[in-house]
Amino acid sequence: MKNIIILILLIGISFSLSAQNNSDRGSISGRVIDAVTKQPVDYATISILKQGATSPFNGGSADPKGNFKIENIPAGDYVLTADFLGYKQQKIAHVIVNNITKNVSLGDVLLSPVQSQLKEVTITAHAPTVENKIDKLVYNPANDLTAQGGVALDVLQKVPMVSVDINGNVELMGNTNIQFLINGKPSTIFGSSITDALQAIPASQIKNIEVITNPGAKYDAAGTGGIINIVLKDSNVQGVNGSVNLSAGTRLENGSFNINAKKGKIGASAFFSGNESLTSATPSSGRRTSSAGDTVTNLNQNGVSNFKRSGYRSGFSLNWDITPKDALTASINFNHFGNNSNGYTNNYQTTYLNGLAADTNSINRSTSRFSDNSTDWSLFYKKTFKNKDQELDVLYNQSVGSNTNDYSQEQDYTNVTFPASGSIGSNPGTDKETDISIDYTQPVTKNFTIETGAKATIEDISNTVTTQTLDNGIYEYNPNQSYSFDYNRKIFAYYLSTTFSLFNNFLDGKAGLRDEYTTATSATSAASGFANTTIPSYNILAPSFVLSHKLDKTQSIKFSYSYRLQRPGYNQLDPFYNISDPHNISTGDPNLKPEYGHNFELGYNKSFSNGANIYVAGFYRYNTNDLQSFTTFYPSLTIHDTTYNNVSLTQQYNIGREVTEGVNLFGSLPVGKLTFRSNMFFADRITDNPGSPQVSGFTYRINLNASYEFAKDLAAEFFINDRGSQRTIQGTNPGFIFYNFAVRKQIMNKKASIGLTAANPFNQYVNVNSTTYGPNFNQNSLREIPLRSFGISLMYKFGKLEFKKDKEQQDNGAPDDAPVTPATVPAGGGK
């Protein structure tokens, strides 16, 4: 709780300073309209510049009625510009804010349509890197230079409140139980391997990433950590446009292609992306000491694993504006990703009994191959009404995935005459999820809106395991280690939520309640060791709320809460034994129960007139039935008819309860052409397990991003990330440091760019040390992960966009014969 106290003190200090510094600030307001039709120009870009400056220091966008109000303007003489695609820029040379006229009203700002084809248009539409909204945080990676040519995991490392460990596991506020969405929809691509799925999405395809730590009632209650929604790039403007991105490097190669077209009421888009992580060799070593009665065994291991990963995605979507108030969108996406590895491990085992030592040395050669193919398709209908914000949404979404997890291992003894042992396993499976939802929004008053909806989710998981074991030099089918597994889960949900503003806009908020009823069954063949199970049905009432208050025009505070659950995933349920290393075996359990969590968060946001901003969030999370992996050492372990000696078995369990409390700080500071961003995370995790002592583990993550703009078309960036180690219920998760350099040059009037990147250029490996211990064993391991890489990336935008007012806007009080002049604009030229 010390972190929460510190947060409250920071808020108090900042509030007091702000009260002194903002008394002399004013605002600039007005309305942007078409000079010909006299209709509002919605979402026009408004920029405020200091006299003589070339870049705005403040600004915003007009609302759907063309109105704008830019607040927190210190006294001074400014230039205001209004822009919208297809119009000439309007500039007002002298807008004066002083103690006499603090709030300046410009009235109507007229924009004249371009009457002929434009050769070139410069678009100024800077989205801030981090947007802090009432119920979510949005990270925009458009100017993330070090992630260019990378993948989604590279972008997530920059996102506030998110951390990524050396193995690619993602945490949100210290919790790995996250519900991942793509464009707001679930996908089976995340079911079998989240890390591989995130590695298959190029950074060039990502428009933004939404982080929702306390989701509202409209969202599924799944994910005790919260929700991360990856929003991919698209375009819904008239014309044809697209982009091509290519990158090559010493560790990763990828490319992507996007094309968008819209004519009248019909729009279509398509994309293809693919990447490949080149083969890399990872040396590893480890030592385990174990005991069983009077016997003590030391096992020393060292070896090398060669690893390669690849993936691609493609998709097509069709948009039809049936009427100005009815729209239909259909989309289909294909996904593939996978990895394969091969390597060897030298085993040096010494057993001590009654003062005598016996050595058993062997070499284990292993291979593994994982692949996943999935298809997502959806049909979305949206209806709006005359009443602003009244809306009906109907969505049908289905995702079907098939995956295969194969391994082989063979152990040969080098100093004893034991026969060679080995096995080959194949585990193909399918994962099908169908979602049907309906959502309705009804404004009641200007400050009160009701949302309600229902959803049904049907999920089917099935797989088979076929195993061959080595017998007298021949691999033979083993019926005792071959079985099938089927799992069915149905979730029915209903929610009711409100959005409100109270006490003359003193307090804004959202509050709701979601009811989810879950039924599940599992069926396995006898050889799996798990009997057919009818899992008891369960119901959860999940309340949530967020309250926000603006302390003044530059700072706000919010408090939020949600009650959530984490249902076991595919890998946690699958009883398949992975025996690629016979001394370190892992498996799942179809009888796992869901984890439940209470999440509290107190956040404070402050912006400054020079463009700087800070966000501080203190959080407290309490989980029960906590899902965690646990390792047990066995001197001998029999899996069906085969006995393995000196084995560490890792399984998932519902273990006790877990409390995590901490603070996250994000700050951005522009200093001339230099911009600094930093994200700092500090947390303490306390785990209570029945029959075991309480475990407390402190961790931190600190990163720094510095970018410098040499010219309007040339920029460089440096990024460094330091993640601390953390104590767990059975050992220590490793910490590590890595750093990146990048430079980007924009060419061809910013329609193209070339970038260079360097990751860990001065260190070939990142050393990762971890420990695991139990009542009868202690294990230390070291992996040397090759992260050093160099790369080059290329981007090109093409096509022409036609911008004109939609029919719905023409009908908003304009005569039918009011002239609307289209303009054709070459793609690119954006800043």
Side-chain angles (χ1 to χ4, degrees):
M1 296 299 294
K2 290 187 291 184
N3 290 330
I4 305 299
I5 296 173
I6 293 172
L7 172 64
I8 294 172
L9 290 174
L10 286 172
I11 292 171
I13 293 170
S14 182
F15 173 69
S16 152
L17 290 174
S18 176
Q20 299 175 31
N21 295 332
N22 290 295
S23 60
D24 60 343
R25 298 182 183 274
S27 65
I28 301 173
S29 61
R31 184 175 72 136
V32 184
I33 64 173
D34 187 302
V36 177
T37 67
K38 306 303 180 184
Q39 296 304 304
V41 179
D42 52 347
Y43 305 112
T45 300
I46 310 299
S47 301
I48 309 292
L49 298 85
K50 297 178 181 179
Q51 291 292 344
T54 58
S55 299
F57 80 96
N58 204 336
S61 299
D63 66 16
K65 296 182 179 180
N67 298 312
F68 67 88
K69 185 175 184 181
I70 311 301
E71 300 179 313
N72 192 33
I73 307 294
D77 186 359
Y78 302 103
V79 176
L80 181 142
T81 63
D83 297 90
F84 191 76
L85 297 172
Y87 290 86
K88 296 178 182 178
Q89 183 187 76
Q90 176 66 282
K91 178 185 290 186
I92 302 177
H94 293 281
V95 181
I96 298 174
V97 177
N98 53 37
N99 290 330
I100 298 174
T101 310
K102 287 185 178 180
N103 301 311
V104 179
S105 177
L106 301 176
D108 290 341
V109 179
L110 304 180
L111 291 189
S112 298
V114 179
Q115 300 297 327
S116 59
Q117 187 179 52
L118 298 181
K119 294 182 179 179
E120 178 181 312
V121 170
T122 299
I123 306 165
T124 302
H126 263 307
T129 302
V130 175
E131 299 177 75
N132 187 19
K133 301 184 178 182
I134 186 172
D135 59 347
K136 70 180 99 175
L137 183 144
V138 182
Y139 179 80
N140 299 294
N143 293 311
D144 190 344
L145 303 189
T146 55
Q148 62 183 335
V151 294
L153 282 177
D154 299 309
V155 180
L156 284 167
Q157 291 169 351
K158 306 284 192 72
V159 178
M161 297 183 286
V162 177
S163 62
V164 182
D165 71 12
I166 196 68
N167 299 313
N169 300 309
V170 182
E171 292 183 354
L172 178 54
M173 290 292 204
N175 192 319
T176 58
N177 295 324
I178 305 166
Q179 184 185 26
F180 281 90
L181 304 175
I182 294 181
N183 293 333
K185 298 186 285 288
S187 172
T188 57
I189 132 184
F190 296 116
S192 52
S193 174
I194 291 175
T195 300
D196 283 300
L198 295 173
Q199 288 277 6
I201 303 174
S204 60
Q205 290 287 95
I206 298 175
K207 178 182 179 181
N208 60 53
I209 293 179
E210 298 177 346
V211 175
I212 310 171
T213 53
N214 279 315
K218 185 176 181 178
Y219 294 96
D220 292 346
T224 51
I227 292 174
I228 293 179
N229 180 30
I230 300 175
V231 181
L232 302 180
K233 292 179 179 178
D234 64 357
S235 177
N236 195 34
V237 295
Q238 297 285 338
V240 178
N241 65 94
S243 64
V244 179
N245 293 268
L246 298 171
S247 67
T250 58
R251 192 163 56 91
L252 175 68
E253 297 176 343
N254 67 38
S256 64
F257 171 79
N258 293 68
I259 186 168
N260 308 282
K262 186 171 184 180
K263 184 68 175 178
K265 297 181 178 182
I266 303 295
S269 63
F271 75 92
F272 177 85
S273 64
N275 65 58
E276 181 176 64
S277 295
L278 305 182
T279 302
S280 59
T282 302
S284 62
S285 60
R287 176 183 175 87
R288 183 175 66 207
T289 301
S290 57
S291 61
D294 296 329
T295 302
V296 176
T297 302
N298 289 333
L299 175 64
N300 291 285
Q301 295 180 300
N302 65 67
V304 174
S305 176
N306 301 299
F307 185 83
K308 182 179 181 179
R309 175 185 279 122
S310 63
Y312 65 82
R313 304 185 68 248
S314 64
F316 175 80
S317 66
L318 187 66
N319 307 290
W320 179 25
D321 296 328
I322 306 170
T323 73
K325 306 248 180 230
D326 298 87
L328 190 65
T329 301
S331 65
I332 184 167
N333 296 313
F334 304 95
N335 312 283
H336 164 79
F337 56 86
N339 64 67
N340 62 79
S341 66
N342 63 82
Y344 66 89
T345 303
N346 294 309
N347 304 293
Y348 304 98
Q349 179 176 300
T350 303
T351 303
Y352 299 92
L353 178 62
N354 299 326
L356 300 176
D359 293 331
T360 306
N361 300 333
S362 63
I363 181 171
N364 186 72
R365 296 179 178 85
S366 62
T367 66
S368 67
R369 181 181 298 273
F370 168 79
S371 68
D372 185 280
N373 297 280
S374 65
T375 302
D376 305 332
W377 72 277
S378 65
L379 190 63
F380 176 63
Y381 169 72
K382 178 179 180 179
K383 182 174 182 59
T384 57
F385 302 84
K386 289 185 178 180
N387 191 359
K388 180 185 176 183
D389 298 328
Q390 183 181 2
E391 186 175 307
L392 174 67
D393 298 331
V394 180
L395 173 66
Y396 180 92
N397 185 73
Q398 186 174 88
S399 184
V400 180
S402 61
N403 59 78
T404 301
N405 191 359
D406 299 333
Y407 81 89
S408 69
Q409 66 83 21
E410 187 168 318
Q411 187 167 353
D412 297 302
Y413 296 89
T414 57
N415 70 330
V416 292
T417 57
F418 295 159
S421 62
S423 61
I424 298 174
S426 180
N427 179 209
T430 61
D431 184 356
K432 179 181 178 180
E433 180 175 333
T434 303
D435 300 277
I436 304 171
S437 63
I438 181 169
D439 303 281
Y440 178 70
T441 303
Q442 175 65 59
V444 179
T445 67
K446 179 181 178 182
N447 295 322
F448 187 77
T449 300
I450 294 176
E451 292 181 84
T452 187
K455 182 178 181 179
T457 299
I458 302 171
E459 186 174 12
D460 290 291
I461 298 174
S462 64
N463 62 38
T464 58
V465 174
T466 303
T467 304
Q468 302 176 62
T469 54
L470 185 62
D471 186 13
N472 294 322
I474 299 175
Y475 282 96
E476 296 182 348
Y477 172 73
N478 188 335
N480 294 318
Q481 292 189 36
S482 301
Y483 53 89
S484 62
F485 168 61
D486 295 286
Y487 188 88
N488 175 270
R489 181 162 58 199
K490 296 182 178 69
I491 305 167
F492 303 98
Y494 171 77
Y495 74 91
L496 179 67
S497 67
T498 62
T499 302
F500 53 84
S501 183
L502 302 175
F503 314 118
N504 195 25
N505 298 323
F506 177 83
L507 193 67
D508 297 316
K510 290 185 175 184
L513 181 67
R514 186 179 185 91
D515 184 16
E516 289 191 353
Y517 178 75
T518 304
T519 63
T521 59
S522 69
T524 58
S525 60
S528 68
F530 292 95
N532 292 350
T533 303
T534 300
I535 301 170
S537 301
Y538 55 92
N539 192 81
I540 179 175
L541 288 173
S544 61
F545 68 82
V546 56
L547 302 173
S548 175
H549 169 61
K550 287 188 176 181
L551 299 173
D552 59 29
K553 296 176 182 179
T554 66
Q555 56 183 342
S556 63
I557 187 172
K558 66 179 179 181
F559 177 67
S560 60
Y561 165 79
S562 65
Y563 179 56
R564 303 184 61 75
L565 83 165
Q566 177 66 32
R567 298 180 181 91
Y570 182 95
N571 286 337
Q572 295 169 313
L573 297 168
D574 187 358
F576 169 67
Y577 284 92
N578 187 331
I579 317 177
S580 56
D581 179 355
H583 291 290
N584 295 281
I585 300 173
S586 60
T587 188
D589 182 354
N591 296 319
L592 287 172
K593 300 176 182 178
E595 170 188 302
Y596 296 93
H598 298 268
N599 300 341
F600 298 86
E601 183 180 337
L602 178 63
Y604 168 74
N605 187 68
K606 166 74 175 176
S607 60
F608 300 85
S609 59
N610 65 348
N613 68 82
I614 60 171
Y615 178 67
V616 185
F619 62 92
Y620 176 87
R621 299 190 161 197
Y622 174 78
N623 294 343
T624 58
N625 272 349
D626 200 49
L627 285 167
Q628 293 194 36
S629 62
F630 193 86
T631 301
T632 305
F633 174 78
Y634 294 91
S636 63
L637 175 67
T638 301
I639 300 177
H640 309 302
D641 65 339
T642 304
T643 299
Y644 301 90
N645 296 315
N646 202 19
V647 174
S648 291
L649 177 65
T650 300
Q651 293 177 281
Q652 291 283 329
Y653 292 92
N654 292 110
I655 299 178
R657 62 178 185 175
E658 180 181 276
V659 173
T660 304
E661 56 181 8
V663 62
N664 191 95
L665 301 96
F666 171 81
S668 177
L669 176 64
V671 183
K673 295 184 176 182
L674 187 64
T675 300
F676 294 98
R677 292 198 311 272
S678 182
N679 186 41
M680 294 177 282
F681 174 84
F682 306 93
D684 185 47
R685 183 167 58 199
I686 301 172
T687 306
D688 287 305
N689 306 302
S692 301
Q694 185 182 86
V695 176
S696 177
F698 174 80
T699 191
Y700 67 88
R701 189 198 76 160
I702 300 175
N703 68 39
L704 174 66
N705 194 95
S707 58
Y708 186 80
E709 189 175 290
F710 295 96
K712 290 184 178 180
D713 57 2
L714 179 63
E717 186 174 275
F718 170 72
F719 176 73
I720 185 170
N721 183 84
D722 181 8
R723 178 188 170 103
S725 61
Q726 184 173 32
R727 187 183 176 192
T728 67
I729 58 174
Q730 277 196 295
T732 303
N733 283 336
F736 65 97
I737 298 176
F738 73 90
Y739 52 95
N740 293 343
F741 298 91
V743 63
R744 181 179 67 185
K745 170 69 174 176
Q746 294 177 308
I747 57 177
M748 300 173 63
N749 192 31
K750 297 187 177 181
K751 290 193 293 185
S753 68
I754 180 171
L756 301 173
T757 58
N760 271 48
F762 306 117
N763 304 86
Q764 181 178 1
Y765 296 103
V766 172
N767 293 332
V768 179
N769 292 281
S770 60
T771 61
T772 307
Y773 52 78
N776 58 346
F777 78 100
N778 189 299
Q779 181 172 311
N780 298 280
S781 63
L782 167 66
R783 287 188 302 144
E784 300 173 71
I785 300 179
L787 285 187
R788 182 165 65 187
S789 67
F790 302 90
I792 182 172
S793 61
L794 304 171
M795 183 278 295
Y796 176 70
K797 294 183 288 186
F798 63 89
K800 292 184 178 182
L801 313 177
E802 296 176 1
F803 297 90
K804 58 185 178 182
K805 285 293 179 182
D806 291 336
K807 180 69 164 60
E808 179 182 5
Q809 293 172 315
Q810 295 179 45
D811 290 344
N812 188 16
D816 291 339
D817 57 352
V820 179
T821 306
T824 302
V825 183
K831 292 184 179 179

